[in-house]
Amino acid sequence: MEYKAYTSFDPDFLWGAATASFQVEGAVEEDGKGLSVIDVMPKNPAITDFSVAVDHYHHIEEDVALMAELGLKVYRFSIAWTRIFPNGNGEVNQAGVDFYNRLIDALIKHQIEPLVTIYHFDYPQSLVEQYGGWISRESIEDYRAYAEFLFKTYGDRVKYWLTINEQDHVVRIPSRLGLTGEDHYEQLRLGYQANHHMCVATALTIKTFHELGMEGKIGPAVSYSMVHPASSHPDDILASKDAMLIKHNYLMDLHCYGEYSYSFQRYLEERNFTPAIEEGDLELMKQYPPTMLGVNYYFSEAVRAFPATEEFPIGYQKKSLLPEAEAGVFEVVKNENLAATDWGWEIDPVGLRLTLRELYDRYKLPMIITENGIGAYDKLEEGDMIRDDYRISYLREHIKQVKLAINDGVPMLGYCAWSFMDLVSGRNGMEKRYGFVYINREDFDFKDMRRIKKDSFHWYQKVIASNGEDL
């Protein structure tokens, strides 16, 4: 819909940027930190690991000063669970507590609102070894107790909390659950059980948040994007709706309504994926829903119908990060209407507006963009120049769509670009860069780790200063 007149961003709109602990901090075994599932994953010899990352652990003052120079109103970061509880539970590591106190205090000093992700993929390896991690119901209380410790320790300064980042990815990427082996079916079955436990843990954590009288808002950071039908054929439209349910809406229905929809129950039952559910689990979720949503958006997908056959029976999947196809449901296809990044992610700014409208129509919660950005082969040129016009173009067009979503009536708290600085990509190492700040290192050459401002840094600085008017 077009309008005769358009409202602007609210004066209190939170302009920000984001990172994740394991992708930036480094120092994986320093000052008492325990090992996470990320730390023990098999190393890919073609790319760097996360042991040094971009050494944010030893550069927090410099990095926060750059955030202040950029003009950030909010900084989204995650706390490494095993810096606080090296074994996931039990003894507290004071050095880790002190590190995040220094970071939060530095942000507050520069009037930057901390937006804390409680858990962002780096689950404690010790809990996997103790009882299987998220597969076990024991995980629920350990997560809740960890979150309660964070609330009591940092809640006097932190008003915005994200419970679990991209839970759907945790479910579908076995290494993030601490699972090994090649049995994809069994890993998915266990993943849906882990998913249920994470939903219960989230609800209990939100209950604790309220019982402690915490101010502010809390909710998950969800990877959510529109799945377009590949054509106007009714079968493709049905496939897109089914894909939205299986990829996205089943999880949000649990968090916000405490329910497995009838169609999703059928989906689980026919594949023997139905998790064990204890009495009171769903009621707890209904009683303690999120008070905000974090939205991670990079691209949309297009799908067509994929009828089941004898060759491809119901349950057959072609998989990547998330399923590319599932017989009897959908098949992801190229969207010929969209350009794509160097890594094949289709660039769809309007899809962000559609995503925000879809989420608000279904769940009626205020939202903040917690990740949105483009990974690219940034080149450091003579004179410390990084000319990343492609990043400026990507972010500009997506911010325009956030403003249009606000005009559609979607309550938006803020926008966090991914990422503040270059970080180690989970599948592409240092080659795939996202940041406003270039980190002078390569996969296997640490160089000097200098922080260098890209052209996009100066552009975003103007966007923030003008409250989104100067794009």
Side-chain angles (χ1 to χ4, degrees), residues 27-43:
V28 298
E29 296 185 60
E30 288 189 38
D31 293 341
K33 179 185 174 295
L35 294 177
S36 74
V37 295
I38 300 292
D39 300 324
V40 303
M41 285 192 308
K43 308 301 182 190

Side-chain angles (χ1 to χ4, degrees), residues 159-224:
K159 306 304 178 190
Y160 297 96
W161 298 86
L162 299 167
T163 51
I164 296 177
N165 180 74
E166 294 184 343
Q167 187 171 320
D168 58 317
H169 287 198
V170 179
V171 169
R172 294 181 178 276
I173 301 177
S175 61
R176 290 177 182 166
L177 287 171
L179 297 175
T180 58
E182 300 298 325
D183 189 340
H184 175 60
Y185 168 82
E186 179 64 8
Q187 289 169 343
L188 264 181
R189 188 187 69 80
L190 292 173
Y192 281 116
Q193 186 64 66
N195 178 76
H196 183 78
H197 292 157
M198 283 185 268
C199 288
V200 177
T202 295
L204 270 177
T205 295
I206 294 173
K207 181 174 186 273
T208 299
F209 182 86
H210 292 312
E211 288 176 343
L212 291 174
M214 300 288 293
E215 297 180 5
K217 296 185 181 298
I218 185 169
V222 298
S223 174
Y224 195 103

